[in-house]
């Protein structure tokens, strides 16, 4: 069936999750952090994701902002920076102002020019997602922003992916789901979506029962796959 609806994960897919740490590291007076920022950024993202999975399987849901703070606290402690309260607050503030990857605005504009439904489906809480969308300036290219908070469980629960078909009244095979997380793209494949994994880091394919239909290095060619 032809694709009518193109759905994007947010963090790491449309929005650069390393941007907060990168920006903070470039600021005057942060020489100590500049030596550790890549490790902090990577640890922060990994723990953020791990905590969503653990909360999902243990039925201990908290919103993504709490999980994001927990992940940062772990990452700062792992790099010996947990005593710097000002740095913590600065990193959290910058997380509300993440930049989009360079190809994102034109790619979304191309999809909308074709009459495609477009939306975000994210673990992010609604206020966080609103901040990111506004900061990136892509609100005009999105029909909706769907958050897991409406169902109270993180990806990859089926009930999260079901938000898309309920919102747009489409069949599963009419959806192209795009994520920078291999596990997310794989599980969306299992749900019945056509999928594209944006593998920016050139990582191995996750060992899952399903694999993404398409593997890309960035989002530029997404309109070519939304057919």
């Amino acid at each position: 069936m032809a694709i009518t609806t193109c759905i994007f994960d947010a963090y790491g897919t449309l929005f650069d999750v390393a941007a907060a740490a990168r920006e903070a590291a470039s600021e005057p007076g942060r020489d100590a952090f500049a030596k550790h920022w890549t490790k902090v950024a990577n640890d922060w993202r990994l723990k953020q994701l791990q905590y969503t999975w653990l909360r999902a399987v243990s039925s201990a849901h908290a919103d993504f902002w709490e999980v994001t703070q927990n992940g940062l606290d772990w990452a700062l402690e792992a790099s010996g920076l947990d005593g710097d309260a000002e740095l913590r607050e600065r990193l959290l503030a910058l997380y509300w102002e993440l930049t989009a990857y360079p190809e994102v605005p034109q790619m979304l504009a191309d999809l909308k020019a074709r009459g495609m439904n477009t939306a975000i489906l994210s673990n992010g809480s609604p206020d966080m997602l609103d901040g990111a969308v506004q900061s990136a300036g892509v609100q005009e290219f999105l029909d909706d922003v769907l958050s897991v908070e409406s169902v109270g469980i993180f990806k990859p629960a089926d009930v999260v992916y079901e938000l898309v078909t309920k919102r747009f009244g489409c069949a599963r095979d009419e959806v192209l789901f795009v994520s920078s997380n291999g596990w997310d793209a794989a599980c969306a494949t299992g749900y019945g979506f056509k999928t594209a994994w944006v593998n920016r880091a050139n990582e191995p394919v996750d060992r899952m029962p399903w694999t993404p239909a398409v593997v890309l290095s960035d989002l530029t060619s997404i309109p070519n796959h939304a057919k």
Side-chain angles (χ1 to χ4, degrees):
M1 190 171 291
I3 298 298
T4 63
T5 304
C6 197
I7 303 298
F8 297 88
D9 173 60
Y11 298 105
T13 302
L14 297 180
F15 309 124
D16 183 358
V17 289
R22 186 187 306 113
E23 175 66 20
S26 71
E27 295 173 346
R30 298 205 192 276
D31 294 345
F33 181 62
K35 298 175 183 178
H36 298 279
W37 82 265
T38 54
K39 174 175 168 50
V40 170
N42 291 335
D43 286 348
W44 187 4
R45 178 58 172 164
L46 178 60
K47 298 308 290 189
Q48 184 189 51
L49 289 173
Q50 287 178 347
Y51 291 155
T52 65
W53 303 328
L54 292 169
R55 285 184 174 277
V57 299
S58 61
S59 300
H61 186 72
D63 73 21
F64 200 60
W65 183 235
E66 181 173 338
V67 170
T68 297
Q69 292 179 79
N70 294 159
L72 176 58
D73 290 340
W74 191 99
L76 289 173
E77 183 175 348
S79 290
L81 297 168
D82 50 311
D84 192 337
E86 190 277 331
L87 173 62
R88 179 185 187 273
E89 291 307 307
R90 180 60 177 151
L91 288 167
L92 290 173
L94 287 168
Y95 207 86
W96 290 76
E97 304 171 4
L98 296 178
T99 55
Y101 289 102
E103 73 273 18
V104 167
Q106 186 60 56
M107 179 273 301
L108 290 175
D110 289 348
L111 290 172
K112 292 311 298 175
R114 298 184 183 191
M116 194 73 57
N117 297 321
T118 59
I120 286 172
L121 176 66
S122 174
N123 280 337
S125 56
D127 52 351
M128 289 179 70
L129 291 168
D130 182 64
V133 168
Q134 297 295 327
S135 178
V138 296
Q139 60 271 25
E140 65 181 295
F141 305 122
L142 296 168
D143 295 308
D144 211 340
V145 178
L146 306 174
S147 167
V148 302
E149 285 307 301
S150 63
V151 291
I153 190 170
F154 292 114
K155 295 177 184 177
D158 277 1
V159 69
V160 174
Y161 300 118
E162 188 180 17
L163 290 171
V164 174
T165 54
K166 285 185 174 180
R167 165 61 178 84
F168 291 101
C170 56
R172 298 182 187 190
D173 60 1
E174 292 180 88
V175 176
L176 174 63
F177 179 79
V178 185
S179 181
S180 63
N181 300 301
W183 57 269
D184 189 15
C187 291
T189 301
Y191 181 73
F193 291 160
K194 179 180 178 182
T195 57
W197 175 29
V198 185
N199 186 10
R200 296 183 186 275
N202 196 29
E203 295 178 345
V205 175
D206 282 316
R207 272 51 177 179
M208 299 283 287
W210 320 278
T211 56
V214 178
V215 180
L216 306 170
S217 60
D218 63 32
L219 294 162
T220 304
S221 65
I222 286 297
N224 296 332
H225 298 283
K227 299 177 179 178

PDB file of all heavy atoms in Angstrom, residues 81-104:
ATOM      1  N   LEU A  81      32.022  14.908  37.558  1.00  0.00           N
ATOM      2  CA  LEU A  81      31.541  16.289  37.461  1.00  0.00           C
ATOM      3  C   LEU A  81      30.241  16.503  38.227  1.00  0.00           C
ATOM      4  O   LEU A  81      29.575  17.533  38.047  1.00  0.00           O
ATOM      5  CB  LEU A  81      31.324  16.656  35.986  1.00  0.00           C
ATOM      6  CG  LEU A  81      32.573  16.643  35.100  1.00  0.00           C
ATOM      7  CD1 LEU A  81      32.187  16.718  33.628  1.00  0.00           C
ATOM      8  CD2 LEU A  81      33.494  17.800  35.470  1.00  0.00           C
ATOM      9  N   ASP A  82      29.888  15.570  39.084  1.00  0.00           N
ATOM     10  CA  ASP A  82      28.597  15.648  39.762  1.00  0.00           C
ATOM     11  C   ASP A  82      28.523  16.760  40.799  1.00  0.00           C
ATOM     12  O   ASP A  82      27.433  17.093  41.264  1.00  0.00           O
ATOM     13  CB  ASP A  82      28.242  14.303  40.406  1.00  0.00           C
ATOM     14  CG  ASP A  82      29.378  13.733  41.250  1.00  0.00           C
ATOM     15  OD1 ASP A  82      30.512  13.698  40.752  1.00  0.00           O
ATOM     16  OD2 ASP A  82      29.121  13.321  42.392  1.00  0.00           O
ATOM     17  N   GLY A  83      29.648  17.375  41.139  1.00  0.00           N
ATOM     18  CA  GLY A  83      29.622  18.473  42.099  1.00  0.00           C
ATOM     19  C   GLY A  83      29.373  19.831  41.477  1.00  0.00           C
ATOM     20  O   GLY A  83      29.260  20.836  42.198  1.00  0.00           O
ATOM     21  N   ASP A  84      29.258  19.889  40.155  1.00  0.00           N
ATOM     22  CA  ASP A  84      29.102  21.168  39.458  1.00  0.00           C
ATOM     23  C   ASP A  84      27.619  21.417  39.173  1.00  0.00           C
ATOM     24  O   ASP A  84      27.105  21.080  38.106  1.00  0.00           O
ATOM     25  CB  ASP A  84      29.910  21.145  38.161  1.00  0.00           C
ATOM     26  CG  ASP A  84      30.046  22.520  37.525  1.00  0.00           C
ATOM     27  OD1 ASP A  84      29.198  23.386  37.809  1.00  0.00           O
ATOM     28  OD2 ASP A  84      30.989  22.711  36.729  1.00  0.00           O
ATOM     29  N   ALA A  85      26.936  22.019  40.139  1.00  0.00           N
ATOM     30  CA  ALA A  85      25.490  22.242  40.014  1.00  0.00           C
ATOM     31  C   ALA A  85      25.165  23.215  38.884  1.00  0.00           C
ATOM     32  O   ALA A  85      24.150  23.061  38.189  1.00  0.00           O
ATOM     33  CB  ALA A  85      24.927  22.761  41.332  1.00  0.00           C
ATOM     34  N   GLU A  86      26.019  24.209  38.688  1.00  0.00           N
ATOM     35  CA  GLU A  86      25.764  25.191  37.626  1.00  0.00           C
ATOM     36  C   GLU A  86      25.854  24.540  36.251  1.00  0.00           C
ATOM     37  O   GLU A  86      25.039  24.830  35.360  1.00  0.00           O
ATOM     38  CB  GLU A  86      26.762  26.345  37.732  1.00  0.00           C
ATOM     39  CG  GLU A  86      26.452  27.532  36.828  1.00  0.00           C
ATOM     40  CD  GLU A  86      26.949  27.360  35.392  1.00  0.00           C
ATOM     41  OE1 GLU A  86      27.959  26.643  35.201  1.00  0.00           O
ATOM     42  OE2 GLU A  86      26.323  27.935  34.469  1.00  0.00           O
ATOM     43  N   LEU A  87      26.821  23.650  36.064  1.00  0.00           N
ATOM     44  CA  LEU A  87      26.950  22.931  34.798  1.00  0.00           C
ATOM     45  C   LEU A  87      25.714  22.075  34.552  1.00  0.00           C
ATOM     46  O   LEU A  87      25.172  22.043  33.436  1.00  0.00           O
ATOM     47  CB  LEU A  87      28.200  22.053  34.813  1.00  0.00           C
ATOM     48  CG  LEU A  87      28.374  21.107  33.620  1.00  0.00           C
ATOM     49  CD1 LEU A  87      28.501  21.884  32.315  1.00  0.00           C
ATOM     50  CD2 LEU A  87      29.587  20.197  33.832  1.00  0.00           C
ATOM     51  N   ARG A  88      25.254  21.393  35.581  1.00  0.00           N
ATOM     52  CA  ARG A  88      24.050  20.570  35.443  1.00  0.00           C
ATOM     53  C   ARG A  88      22.865  21.408  34.974  1.00  0.00           C
ATOM     54  O   ARG A  88      22.145  21.028  34.037  1.00  0.00           O
ATOM     55  CB  ARG A  88      23.718  19.902  36.776  1.00  0.00           C
ATOM     56  CG  ARG A  88      22.458  19.040  36.749  1.00  0.00           C
ATOM     57  CD  ARG A  88      22.138  18.506  38.146  1.00  0.00           C
ATOM     58  NE  ARG A  88      21.045  17.542  38.120  1.00  0.00           N
ATOM     59  CZ  ARG A  88      19.750  17.868  38.188  1.00  0.00           C
ATOM     60  NH1 ARG A  88      19.385  19.154  38.273  1.00  0.00           N
ATOM     61  NH2 ARG A  88      18.820  16.919  38.168  1.00  0.00           N
ATOM     62  N   GLU A  89      22.653  22.541  35.611  1.00  0.00           N
ATOM     63  CA  GLU A  89      21.523  23.386  35.243  1.00  0.00           C
ATOM     64  C   GLU A  89      21.668  23.928  33.826  1.00  0.00           C
ATOM     65  O   GLU A  89      20.679  24.042  33.089  1.00  0.00           O
ATOM     66  CB  GLU A  89      21.376  24.536  36.241  1.00  0.00           C
ATOM     67  CG  GLU A  89      20.927  24.093  37.619  1.00  0.00           C
ATOM     68  CD  GLU A  89      19.661  23.249  37.574  1.00  0.00           C
ATOM     69  OE1 GLU A  89      18.657  23.705  36.967  1.00  0.00           O
ATOM     70  OE2 GLU A  89      19.673  22.127  38.112  1.00  0.00           O
ATOM     71  N   ARG A  90      22.894  24.251  33.430  1.00  0.00           N
ATOM     72  CA  ARG A  90      23.117  24.761  32.080  1.00  0.00           C
ATOM     73  C   ARG A  90      22.825  23.689  31.033  1.00  0.00           C
ATOM     74  O   ARG A  90      22.173  23.958  30.016  1.00  0.00           O
ATOM     75  CB  ARG A  90      24.562  25.244  31.941  1.00  0.00           C
ATOM     76  CG  ARG A  90      24.918  25.792  30.563  1.00  0.00           C
ATOM     77  CD  ARG A  90      24.052  26.964  30.197  1.00  0.00           C
ATOM     78  NE  ARG A  90      24.432  27.532  28.904  1.00  0.00           N
ATOM     79  CZ  ARG A  90      23.589  28.154  28.090  1.00  0.00           C
ATOM     80  NH1 ARG A  90      22.307  28.294  28.432  1.00  0.00           N
ATOM     81  NH2 ARG A  90      24.014  28.648  26.947  1.00  0.00           N
ATOM     82  N   LEU A  91      23.271  22.477  31.270  1.00  0.00           N
ATOM     83  CA  LEU A  91      23.021  21.387  30.328  1.00  0.00           C
ATOM     84  C   LEU A  91      21.527  21.103  30.202  1.00  0.00           C
ATOM     85  O   LEU A  91      21.016  20.886  29.097  1.00  0.00           O
ATOM     86  CB  LEU A  91      23.767  20.130  30.768  1.00  0.00           C
ATOM     87  CG  LEU A  91      25.284  20.169  30.584  1.00  0.00           C
ATOM     88  CD1 LEU A  91      25.944  19.010  31.332  1.00  0.00           C
ATOM     89  CD2 LEU A  91      25.653  20.122  29.107  1.00  0.00           C
ATOM     90  N   LEU A  92      20.829  21.113  31.312  1.00  0.00           N
ATOM     91  CA  LEU A  92      19.389  20.869  31.265  1.00  0.00           C
ATOM     92  C   LEU A  92      18.663  21.989  30.518  1.00  0.00           C
ATOM     93  O   LEU A  92      17.730  21.736  29.750  1.00  0.00           O
ATOM     94  CB  LEU A  92      18.832  20.721  32.681  1.00  0.00           C
ATOM     95  CG  LEU A  92      19.247  19.440  33.413  1.00  0.00           C
ATOM     96  CD1 LEU A  92      18.787  19.485  34.868  1.00  0.00           C
ATOM     97  CD2 LEU A  92      18.694  18.198  32.715  1.00  0.00           C
ATOM     98  N   ALA A  93      19.094  23.222  30.725  1.00  0.00           N
ATOM     99  CA  ALA A  93      18.478  24.345  30.010  1.00  0.00           C
ATOM    100  C   ALA A  93      18.709  24.222  28.506  1.00  0.00           C
ATOM    101  O   ALA A  93      17.795  24.458  27.699  1.00  0.00           O
ATOM    102  CB  ALA A  93      19.041  25.666  30.527  1.00  0.00           C
ATOM    103  N   LEU A  94      19.917  23.831  28.125  1.00  0.00           N
ATOM    104  CA  LEU A  94      20.237  23.693  26.704  1.00  0.00           C
ATOM    105  C   LEU A  94      19.467  22.551  26.052  1.00  0.00           C
ATOM    106  O   LEU A  94      19.234  22.573  24.837  1.00  0.00           O
ATOM    107  CB  LEU A  94      21.744  23.482  26.523  1.00  0.00           C
ATOM    108  CG  LEU A  94      22.619  24.713  26.745  1.00  0.00           C
ATOM    109  CD1 LEU A  94      24.093  24.314  26.818  1.00  0.00           C
ATOM    110  CD2 LEU A  94      22.402  25.731  25.630  1.00  0.00           C
ATOM    111  N   TYR A  95      19.059  21.568  26.837  1.00  0.00           N
ATOM    112  CA  TYR A  95      18.318  20.438  26.269  1.00  0.00           C
ATOM    113  C   TYR A  95      16.955  20.879  25.736  1.00  0.00           C
ATOM    114  O   TYR A  95      16.361  20.198  24.898  1.00  0.00           O
ATOM    115  CB  TYR A  95      18.154  19.324  27.307  1.00  0.00           C
ATOM    116  CG  TYR A  95      18.022  17.956  26.679  1.00  0.00           C
ATOM    117  CD1 TYR A  95      19.152  17.214  26.358  1.00  0.00           C
ATOM    118  CD2 TYR A  95      16.775  17.413  26.377  1.00  0.00           C
ATOM    119  CE1 TYR A  95      19.047  15.968  25.763  1.00  0.00           C
ATOM    120  CE2 TYR A  95      16.658  16.169  25.784  1.00  0.00           C
ATOM    121  CZ  TYR A  95      17.795  15.451  25.480  1.00  0.00           C
ATOM    122  OH  TYR A  95      17.679  14.221  24.874  1.00  0.00           O
ATOM    123  N   TRP A  96      16.464  21.997  26.218  1.00  0.00           N
ATOM    124  CA  TRP A  96      15.193  22.532  25.726  1.00  0.00           C
ATOM    125  C   TRP A  96      15.379  23.315  24.426  1.00  0.00           C
ATOM    126  O   TRP A  96      14.397  23.767  23.827  1.00  0.00           O
ATOM    127  CB  TRP A  96      14.554  23.436  26.779  1.00  0.00           C
ATOM    128  CG  TRP A  96      14.045  22.671  27.955  1.00  0.00           C
ATOM    129  CD1 TRP A  96      14.785  22.125  28.968  1.00  0.00           C
ATOM    130  CD2 TRP A  96      12.686  22.338  28.238  1.00  0.00           C
ATOM    131  NE1 TRP A  96      13.969  21.478  29.863  1.00  0.00           N
ATOM    132  CE2 TRP A  96      12.676  21.598  29.447  1.00  0.00           C
ATOM    133  CE3 TRP A  96      11.476  22.604  27.602  1.00  0.00           C
ATOM    134  CZ2 TRP A  96      11.502  21.115  30.022  1.00  0.00           C
ATOM    135  CZ3 TRP A  96      10.306  22.128  28.177  1.00  0.00           C
ATOM    136  CH2 TRP A  96      10.324  21.392  29.368  1.00  0.00           C
ATOM    137  N   GLU A  97      16.628  23.481  23.993  1.00  0.00           N
ATOM    138  CA  GLU A  97      16.925  24.294  22.816  1.00  0.00           C
ATOM    139  C   GLU A  97      17.739  23.510  21.788  1.00  0.00           C
ATOM    140  O   GLU A  97      18.579  24.066  21.081  1.00  0.00           O
ATOM    141  CB  GLU A  97      17.706  25.546  23.233  1.00  0.00           C
ATOM    142  CG  GLU A  97      17.003  26.385  24.285  1.00  0.00           C
ATOM    143  CD  GLU A  97      17.882  27.485  24.847  1.00  0.00           C
ATOM    144  OE1 GLU A  97      19.024  27.645  24.352  1.00  0.00           O
ATOM    145  OE2 GLU A  97      17.441  28.180  25.778  1.00  0.00           O
ATOM    146  N   LEU A  98      17.509  22.219  21.705  1.00  0.00           N
ATOM    147  CA  LEU A  98      18.275  21.391  20.780  1.00  0.00           C
ATOM    148  C   LEU A  98      18.058  21.839  19.337  1.00  0.00           C
ATOM    149  O   LEU A  98      16.950  22.200  18.940  1.00  0.00           O
ATOM    150  CB  LEU A  98      17.867  19.923  20.923  1.00  0.00           C
ATOM    151  CG  LEU A  98      18.145  19.258  22.270  1.00  0.00           C
ATOM    152  CD1 LEU A  98      17.624  17.826  22.253  1.00  0.00           C
ATOM    153  CD2 LEU A  98      19.629  19.286  22.610  1.00  0.00           C
ATOM    154  N   THR A  99      19.118  21.791  18.560  1.00  0.00           N
ATOM    155  CA  THR A  99      19.017  22.142  17.148  1.00  0.00           C
ATOM    156  C   THR A  99      18.614  20.919  16.328  1.00  0.00           C
ATOM    157  O   THR A  99      18.880  19.778  16.701  1.00  0.00           O
ATOM    158  CB  THR A  99      20.360  22.671  16.625  1.00  0.00           C
ATOM    159  OG1 THR A  99      21.387  21.699  16.898  1.00  0.00           O
ATOM    160  CG2 THR A  99      20.723  23.980  17.299  1.00  0.00           C
ATOM    161  N   ALA A 100      17.961  21.183  15.207  1.00  0.00           N
ATOM    162  CA  ALA A 100      17.651  20.107  14.265  1.00  0.00           C
ATOM    163  C   ALA A 100      18.889  19.817  13.421  1.00  0.00           C
ATOM    164  O   ALA A 100      19.745  20.684  13.218  1.00  0.00           O
ATOM    165  CB  ALA A 100      16.492  20.515  13.366  1.00  0.00           C
ATOM    166  N   TYR A 101      18.980  18.599  12.925  1.00  0.00           N
ATOM    167  CA  TYR A 101      20.041  18.286  11.974  1.00  0.00           C
ATOM    168  C   TYR A 101      19.840  19.121  10.710  1.00  0.00           C
ATOM    169  O   TYR A 101      18.706  19.483  10.362  1.00  0.00           O
ATOM    170  CB  TYR A 101      20.035  16.794  11.654  1.00  0.00           C
ATOM    171  CG  TYR A 101      20.509  15.946  12.809  1.00  0.00           C
ATOM    172  CD1 TYR A 101      19.603  15.260  13.610  1.00  0.00           C
ATOM    173  CD2 TYR A 101      21.863  15.846  13.113  1.00  0.00           C
ATOM    174  CE1 TYR A 101      20.032  14.492  14.682  1.00  0.00           C
ATOM    175  CE2 TYR A 101      22.303  15.073  14.185  1.00  0.00           C
ATOM    176  CZ  TYR A 101      21.385  14.405  14.962  1.00  0.00           C
ATOM    177  OH  TYR A 101      21.809  13.652  16.033  1.00  0.00           O
ATOM    178  N   PRO A 102      20.911  19.457  10.006  1.00  0.00           N
ATOM    179  CA  PRO A 102      20.821  20.428   8.899  1.00  0.00           C
ATOM    180  C   PRO A 102      19.814  20.080   7.814  1.00  0.00           C
ATOM    181  O   PRO A 102      19.195  20.969   7.224  1.00  0.00           O
ATOM    182  CB  PRO A 102      22.252  20.448   8.340  1.00  0.00           C
ATOM    183  CG  PRO A 102      23.122  20.006   9.463  1.00  0.00           C
ATOM    184  CD  PRO A 102      22.304  19.022  10.248  1.00  0.00           C
ATOM    185  N   GLU A 103      19.642  18.795   7.529  1.00  0.00           N
ATOM    186  CA  GLU A 103      18.773  18.399   6.419  1.00  0.00           C
ATOM    187  C   GLU A 103      17.290  18.375   6.777  1.00  0.00           C
ATOM    188  O   GLU A 103      16.429  18.193   5.902  1.00  0.00           O
ATOM    189  CB  GLU A 103      19.192  17.017   5.891  1.00  0.00           C
ATOM    190  CG  GLU A 103      18.837  15.830   6.777  1.00  0.00           C
ATOM    191  CD  GLU A 103      19.859  15.496   7.849  1.00  0.00           C
ATOM    192  OE1 GLU A 103      20.706  16.371   8.154  1.00  0.00           O
ATOM    193  OE2 GLU A 103      19.813  14.375   8.379  1.00  0.00           O
ATOM    194  N   VAL A 104      16.968  18.551   8.059  1.00  0.00           N
ATOM    195  CA  VAL A 104      15.594  18.339   8.525  1.00  0.00           C
ATOM    196  C   VAL A 104      14.570  19.293   7.907  1.00  0.00           C
ATOM    197  O   VAL A 104      13.537  18.843   7.392  1.00  0.00           O
ATOM    198  CB  VAL A 104      15.537  18.380  10.067  1.00  0.00           C
ATOM    199  CG1 VAL A 104      14.091  18.479  10.567  1.00  0.00           C
ATOM    200  CG2 VAL A 104      16.212  17.140  10.646  1.00  0.00           C
TER     201      VAL A 104
END
